[in-house]
Amino acid sequence: QKEVEQNSGPLSVPEGAIASLNCTYSDRGSQSFFWYRQYSGKSPELIMSIYSNGDKEDGRFTAQLNKASQYVSLLIRDSQPSDSATYLCAVAISGSARQLTFGSGTQLTVLP
Amino acid sequence: NAGVTQTPKFQVLKTGQSMTLQCAQDMNHNSMYWYRQDPGMGLRLIYYSASEGTTDKGEVPNGYNVSRLNKREFSLRLESAAPSQTSVYFCASSEGSGANVLTFGAGSRLTVL
């Protein structure tokens, strides 16, 4: 079992819709969770970090964390074509406090 | 403010050749990392350096060596390149010594024939 799993997609949503991206992780002791966005041919860039159970909102983005169920999700409201990218979930696995483990990413396409 | 700078951006090698990927950051970050990214595999950590003078293996260290030359620079060396090392390599840095927010370089695309 992979430590961090994401649905690879591709996920397509119409412009203006809510895009929901999910990530599950295997280590119950994980404490830090991140979402990165990567445009094709570019490097990953941080969108959100979340450390506590619940929701964290930043503009059109909401990260949700449920440690009991071991999942973290990213919601993108009012999706725009410019949101089309691959979204990477990253988790700081306990016992590897200096390392982030990345999921394989979900490719999102927002259709005009 | 350049952030994280990697060189070269593209490189083609023949099997058995050696090369060094260079990385420098100007953000006074303590930790630096080398990742590789392959289709469908996500980012996998090769080596990291939590502070100047220290290096540790990540998930896929075989075939690579690293040097933390000073606080700014962290290089990745392939001593005898293999086709399996064809990949996109990303250098990253973070402020603290723990798993933290990463700032990535633009990437280096390496092809080994």
Side-chain angles (χ1 to χ4, degrees):
Chain A
Q1 180 188 4
K2 290 185 66 175
E3 291 179 304
V4 179
E5 297 213 41
Q6 295 181 252
N7 188 334
S8 60
L11 173 66
S12 294
V13 300
E15 185 175 355
I18 297 175
S20 178
L21 305 162
N22 299 311
C23 172
T24 59
Y25 58 95
S26 60
D27 182 13
R28 282 197 171 274
S30 300
Q31 295 295 323
S32 305
F33 307 85
F34 306 86
W35 283 99
Y36 285 81
R37 177 177 63 198
Q38 186 175 25
Y39 291 115
S40 180
K42 302 295 185 182
S43 58
E45 56 180 342
L46 181 73
I47 299 176
M48 298 279 288
S49 59
I50 187 166
Y51 305 96
S52 303
N53 278 329
D55 295 358
K56 179 180 178 182
E57 187 174 318
D58 184 0
R60 296 185 297 110
F61 298 94
T62 299
Q64 299 176 317
L65 175 61
N66 184 324
K67 290 185 178 179
S69 300
Q70 295 174 241
Y71 82 79
V72 55
S73 61
L74 180 70
L75 300 178
I76 307 174
R77 291 183 302 280
D78 189 23
S79 296
Q80 302 296 310
S82 59
D83 295 326
S84 298
T86 296
Y87 290 80
L88 301 167
C89 173
V91 178
I93 303 294
S94 63
S96 301
R98 293 171 178 165
Q99 304 179 38
L100 286 183
T101 299
F102 284 82
S104 56
T106 298
Q107 185 179 345
L108 172 67
T109 300
V110 180
L111 304 170
Chain B
N1 188 355
V4 179
T5 303
Q6 291 181 233
T7 56
K9 285 186 167 46
F10 300 95
Q11 183 73 48
V12 179
L13 292 176
K14 295 180 179 178
T15 297
Q17 288 185 318
S18 62
M19 75 159 298
T20 300
L21 298 174
Q22 307 285 356
C23 176
Q25 52 91 9
D26 61 3
M27 297 172 285
N28 201 37
H29 284 174
N30 289 314
S31 299
M32 298 186 73
Y33 309 80
W34 277 106
Y35 285 88
R36 61 177 288 174
Q37 187 173 38
D38 303 294
M41 301 288 290
L43 287 158
R44 291 183 292 168
L45 183 64
I46 304 171
Y47 270 94
Y48 66 98
S49 170
S51 61
E52 185 178 352
T54 68
T55 61
D56 287 286
K57 295 178 180 179
E59 181 184 355
V60 288
N62 291 344
Y64 305 95
N65 286 303
V66 291
S67 296
R68 182 75 182 266
L69 304 170
N70 47 55
K71 191 171 185 179
R72 292 186 63 248
E73 298 173 288
F74 188 39
S75 63
L76 178 71
R77 183 162 178 83
L78 287 70
E79 290 290 353
S80 179
S84 61
Q85 294 177 304
T86 293
S87 188
V88 179
Y89 292 85
F90 288 100
C91 178
S93 68
S94 66
E95 188 170 4
S97 59
N100 215 316
V101 173
L102 300 180
T103 300
F104 286 88
S108 300
R109 183 175 294 275
L110 174 66
T111 301
V112 183
L113 302 175

mmCIF file of all heavy atoms in Angstrom, chain B residues 29-51:
data_model
loop_
_atom_site.group_PDB
_atom_site.id
_atom_site.type_symbol
_atom_site.label_atom_id
_atom_site.label_comp_id
_atom_site.label_asym_id
_atom_site.label_seq_id
_atom_site.Cartn_x
_atom_site.Cartn_y
_atom_site.Cartn_z
ATOM 1 N N HIS B 29 17.523 29.365 3.623
ATOM 2 C CA HIS B 29 16.850 28.187 4.152
ATOM 3 C C HIS B 29 17.857 27.187 4.701
ATOM 4 O O HIS B 29 18.964 27.037 4.177
ATOM 5 C CB HIS B 29 16.013 27.519 3.065
ATOM 6 C CG HIS B 29 14.744 28.234 2.777
ATOM 7 N ND1 HIS B 29 13.900 27.870 1.740
ATOM 8 C CD2 HIS B 29 14.142 29.290 3.388
ATOM 9 C CE1 HIS B 29 12.843 28.664 1.737
ATOM 10 N NE2 HIS B 29 12.974 29.545 2.713
ATOM 11 N N ASN B 30 17.431 26.469 5.754
ATOM 12 C CA ASN B 30 18.306 25.473 6.344
ATOM 13 C C ASN B 30 18.323 24.164 5.571
ATOM 14 O O ASN B 30 19.353 23.524 5.429
ATOM 15 C CB ASN B 30 17.885 25.183 7.789
ATOM 16 C CG ASN B 30 18.197 26.326 8.724
ATOM 17 O OD1 ASN B 30 19.295 26.882 8.678
ATOM 18 N ND2 ASN B 30 17.258 26.688 9.558
ATOM 19 N N SER B 31 17.151 23.733 5.118
ATOM 20 C CA SER B 31 17.031 22.401 4.524
ATOM 21 C C SER B 31 16.943 22.473 3.009
ATOM 22 O O SER B 31 16.319 23.374 2.446
ATOM 23 C CB SER B 31 15.779 21.695 5.061
ATOM 24 O OG SER B 31 15.861 21.533 6.456
ATOM 25 N N MET B 32 17.563 21.478 2.385
ATOM 26 C CA MET B 32 17.505 21.372 0.924
ATOM 27 C C MET B 32 17.257 19.925 0.540
ATOM 28 O O MET B 32 17.628 18.993 1.275
ATOM 29 C CB MET B 32 18.791 21.901 0.285
ATOM 30 C CG MET B 32 19.017 23.391 0.586
ATOM 31 S SD MET B 32 20.419 24.109 -0.276
ATOM 32 C CE MET B 32 19.794 24.206 -1.962
ATOM 33 N N TYR B 33 16.639 19.733 -0.628
ATOM 34 C CA TYR B 33 16.157 18.416 -1.030
ATOM 35 C C TYR B 33 16.384 18.215 -2.531
ATOM 36 O O TYR B 33 16.341 19.167 -3.298
ATOM 37 C CB TYR B 33 14.646 18.293 -0.775
ATOM 38 C CG TYR B 33 14.199 18.667 0.619
ATOM 39 C CD1 TYR B 33 14.034 19.999 0.985
ATOM 40 C CD2 TYR B 33 13.926 17.681 1.572
ATOM 41 C CE1 TYR B 33 13.612 20.345 2.256
ATOM 42 C CE2 TYR B 33 13.510 18.023 2.845
ATOM 43 C CZ TYR B 33 13.350 19.361 3.173
ATOM 44 O OH TYR B 33 12.937 19.700 4.449
ATOM 45 N N TRP B 34 16.562 16.947 -2.899
ATOM 46 C CA TRP B 34 16.524 16.558 -4.298
ATOM 47 C C TRP B 34 15.434 15.509 -4.486
ATOM 48 O O TRP B 34 15.418 14.491 -3.787
ATOM 49 C CB TRP B 34 17.857 15.976 -4.759
ATOM 50 C CG TRP B 34 18.852 17.008 -5.145
ATOM 51 C CD1 TRP B 34 19.959 17.414 -4.457
ATOM 52 C CD2 TRP B 34 18.842 17.780 -6.362
ATOM 53 N NE1 TRP B 34 20.620 18.391 -5.148
ATOM 54 C CE2 TRP B 34 19.956 18.632 -6.323
ATOM 55 C CE3 TRP B 34 17.993 17.829 -7.463
ATOM 56 C CZ2 TRP B 34 20.264 19.526 -7.355
ATOM 57 C CZ3 TRP B 34 18.287 18.722 -8.482
ATOM 58 C CH2 TRP B 34 19.414 19.553 -8.428
ATOM 59 N N TYR B 35 14.513 15.807 -5.418
ATOM 60 C CA TYR B 35 13.445 14.890 -5.779
ATOM 61 C C TYR B 35 13.598 14.516 -7.250
ATOM 62 O O TYR B 35 14.130 15.284 -8.053
ATOM 63 C CB TYR B 35 12.075 15.546 -5.613
ATOM 64 C CG TYR B 35 11.585 15.688 -4.198
ATOM 65 C CD1 TYR B 35 11.902 16.818 -3.440
ATOM 66 C CD2 TYR B 35 10.792 14.704 -3.610
ATOM 67 C CE1 TYR B 35 11.438 16.961 -2.141
ATOM 68 C CE2 TYR B 35 10.319 14.841 -2.310
ATOM 69 C CZ TYR B 35 10.644 15.972 -1.587
ATOM 70 O OH TYR B 35 10.180 16.105 -0.300
ATOM 71 N N ARG B 36 13.049 13.365 -7.587
ATOM 72 C CA ARG B 36 12.873 13.024 -8.990
ATOM 73 C C ARG B 36 11.382 12.803 -9.237
ATOM 74 O O ARG B 36 10.643 12.375 -8.343
ATOM 75 C CB ARG B 36 13.688 11.803 -9.407
ATOM 76 C CG ARG B 36 13.382 10.518 -8.701
ATOM 77 C CD ARG B 36 14.224 9.370 -9.267
ATOM 78 N NE ARG B 36 13.770 8.970 -10.599
ATOM 79 C CZ ARG B 36 14.393 8.069 -11.367
ATOM 80 N NH1 ARG B 36 15.490 7.484 -10.934
ATOM 81 N NH2 ARG B 36 13.918 7.755 -12.556
ATOM 82 N N GLN B 37 10.954 13.123 -10.451
ATOM 83 C CA GLN B 37 9.548 12.970 -10.801
ATOM 84 C C GLN B 37 9.433 12.188 -12.086
ATOM 85 O O GLN B 37 9.955 12.603 -13.121
ATOM 86 C CB GLN B 37 8.847 14.327 -10.944
ATOM 87 C CG GLN B 37 7.346 14.214 -11.143
ATOM 88 C CD GLN B 37 6.649 15.561 -11.120
ATOM 89 O OE1 GLN B 37 7.162 16.556 -11.618
ATOM 90 N NE2 GLN B 37 5.456 15.598 -10.528
ATOM 91 N N ASP B 38 8.745 11.072 -12.020
ATOM 92 C CA ASP B 38 8.503 10.208 -13.163
ATOM 93 C C ASP B 38 7.006 10.110 -13.386
ATOM 94 O O ASP B 38 6.232 10.190 -12.435
ATOM 95 C CB ASP B 38 9.094 8.818 -12.902
ATOM 96 C CG ASP B 38 10.577 8.889 -12.592
ATOM 97 O OD1 ASP B 38 11.337 9.262 -13.502
ATOM 98 O OD2 ASP B 38 10.980 8.602 -11.447
ATOM 99 N N PRO B 39 6.588 9.908 -14.625
ATOM 100 C CA PRO B 39 5.144 9.842 -14.923
ATOM 101 C C PRO B 39 4.445 8.804 -14.053
ATOM 102 O O PRO B 39 4.890 7.662 -13.953
ATOM 103 C CB PRO B 39 5.126 9.443 -16.402
ATOM 104 C CG PRO B 39 6.416 9.944 -16.943
ATOM 105 C CD PRO B 39 7.416 9.782 -15.837
ATOM 106 N N GLY B 40 3.353 9.219 -13.421
ATOM 107 C CA GLY B 40 2.558 8.305 -12.610
ATOM 108 C C GLY B 40 3.158 7.964 -11.266
ATOM 109 O O GLY B 40 2.569 7.204 -10.500
ATOM 110 N N MET B 41 4.346 8.508 -10.958
ATOM 111 C CA MET B 41 5.039 8.132 -9.717
ATOM 112 C C MET B 41 5.076 9.270 -8.713
ATOM 113 O O MET B 41 5.506 9.090 -7.588
ATOM 114 C CB MET B 41 6.473 7.709 -10.029
ATOM 115 C CG MET B 41 6.577 6.537 -10.972
ATOM 116 S SD MET B 41 6.090 5.011 -10.196
ATOM 117 C CE MET B 41 7.425 4.760 -9.057
ATOM 118 N N GLY B 42 4.661 10.432 -9.099
ATOM 119 C CA GLY B 42 4.756 11.545 -8.172
ATOM 120 C C GLY B 42 6.208 11.933 -7.932
ATOM 121 O O GLY B 42 7.116 11.527 -8.659
ATOM 122 N N LEU B 43 6.428 12.679 -6.891
ATOM 123 C CA LEU B 43 7.769 13.125 -6.510
ATOM 124 C C LEU B 43 8.352 12.140 -5.499
ATOM 125 O O LEU B 43 7.708 11.820 -4.505
ATOM 126 C CB LEU B 43 7.704 14.517 -5.879
ATOM 127 C CG LEU B 43 7.442 15.669 -6.838
ATOM 128 C CD1 LEU B 43 6.870 16.855 -6.084
ATOM 129 C CD2 LEU B 43 8.724 16.082 -7.536
ATOM 130 N N ARG B 44 9.549 11.687 -5.754
ATOM 131 C CA ARG B 44 10.218 10.784 -4.814
ATOM 132 C C ARG B 44 11.520 11.415 -4.346
ATOM 133 O O ARG B 44 12.312 11.904 -5.153
ATOM 134 C CB ARG B 44 10.480 9.433 -5.486
ATOM 135 C CG ARG B 44 9.203 8.633 -5.767
ATOM 136 C CD ARG B 44 9.508 7.283 -6.354
ATOM 137 N NE ARG B 44 10.073 7.377 -7.698
ATOM 138 C CZ ARG B 44 10.632 6.367 -8.358
ATOM 139 N NH1 ARG B 44 10.705 5.176 -7.780
ATOM 140 N NH2 ARG B 44 11.105 6.545 -9.565
ATOM 141 N N LEU B 45 11.720 11.360 -3.037
ATOM 142 C CA LEU B 45 12.882 12.005 -2.446
ATOM 143 C C LEU B 45 14.135 11.170 -2.661
ATOM 144 O O LEU B 45 14.164 9.979 -2.353
ATOM 145 C CB LEU B 45 12.635 12.223 -0.947
ATOM 146 C CG LEU B 45 13.720 12.950 -0.178
ATOM 147 C CD1 LEU B 45 13.870 14.382 -0.675
ATOM 148 C CD2 LEU B 45 13.403 12.948 1.317
ATOM 149 N N ILE B 46 15.182 11.798 -3.151
ATOM 150 C CA ILE B 46 16.448 11.101 -3.391
ATOM 151 C C ILE B 46 17.359 11.273 -2.176
ATOM 152 O O ILE B 46 17.783 10.303 -1.559
ATOM 153 C CB ILE B 46 17.139 11.662 -4.649
ATOM 154 C CG1 ILE B 46 16.216 11.579 -5.862
ATOM 155 C CG2 ILE B 46 18.436 10.890 -4.921
ATOM 156 C CD1 ILE B 46 16.757 12.306 -7.087
ATOM 157 N N TYR B 47 17.678 12.520 -1.858
ATOM 158 C CA TYR B 47 18.503 12.867 -0.705
ATOM 159 C C TYR B 47 17.995 14.190 -0.154
ATOM 160 O O TYR B 47 17.389 14.985 -0.871
ATOM 161 C CB TYR B 47 19.973 13.055 -1.110
ATOM 162 C CG TYR B 47 20.824 11.820 -1.061
ATOM 163 C CD1 TYR B 47 21.018 11.043 -2.201
ATOM 164 C CD2 TYR B 47 21.482 11.439 0.113
ATOM 165 C CE1 TYR B 47 21.826 9.912 -2.170
ATOM 166 C CE2 TYR B 47 22.292 10.313 0.153
ATOM 167 C CZ TYR B 47 22.458 9.550 -0.998
ATOM 168 O OH TYR B 47 23.268 8.432 -0.975
ATOM 169 N N TYR B 48 18.304 14.431 1.101
ATOM 170 C CA TYR B 48 18.019 15.728 1.669
ATOM 171 C C TYR B 48 19.139 16.122 2.627
ATOM 172 O O TYR B 48 19.949 15.289 3.054
ATOM 173 C CB TYR B 48 16.653 15.764 2.354
ATOM 174 C CG TYR B 48 16.535 14.888 3.578
ATOM 175 C CD1 TYR B 48 16.683 15.408 4.859
ATOM 176 C CD2 TYR B 48 16.230 13.533 3.455
ATOM 177 C CE1 TYR B 48 16.559 14.606 5.977
ATOM 178 C CE2 TYR B 48 16.102 12.726 4.565
ATOM 179 C CZ TYR B 48 16.262 13.262 5.817
ATOM 180 O OH TYR B 48 16.141 12.460 6.930
ATOM 181 N N SER B 49 19.143 17.410 2.932
ATOM 182 C CA SER B 49 20.128 17.957 3.859
ATOM 183 C C SER B 49 19.387 18.880 4.812
ATOM 184 O O SER B 49 18.867 19.909 4.391
ATOM 185 C CB SER B 49 21.204 18.735 3.088
ATOM 186 O OG SER B 49 22.025 19.444 3.983
ATOM 187 N N ALA B 50 19.325 18.485 6.069
ATOM 188 C CA ALA B 50 18.574 19.266 7.055
ATOM 189 C C ALA B 50 19.331 20.524 7.471
ATOM 190 O O ALA B 50 18.726 21.482 7.960
ATOM 191 C CB ALA B 50 18.254 18.419 8.277
ATOM 192 N N SER B 51 20.626 20.500 7.309
ATOM 193 C CA SER B 51 21.425 21.672 7.655
ATOM 194 C C SER B 51 22.781 21.543 6.970
ATOM 195 O O SER B 51 23.147 20.460 6.485
ATOM 196 C CB SER B 51 21.615 21.787 9.165
ATOM 197 O OG SER B 51 22.292 20.653 9.665
#
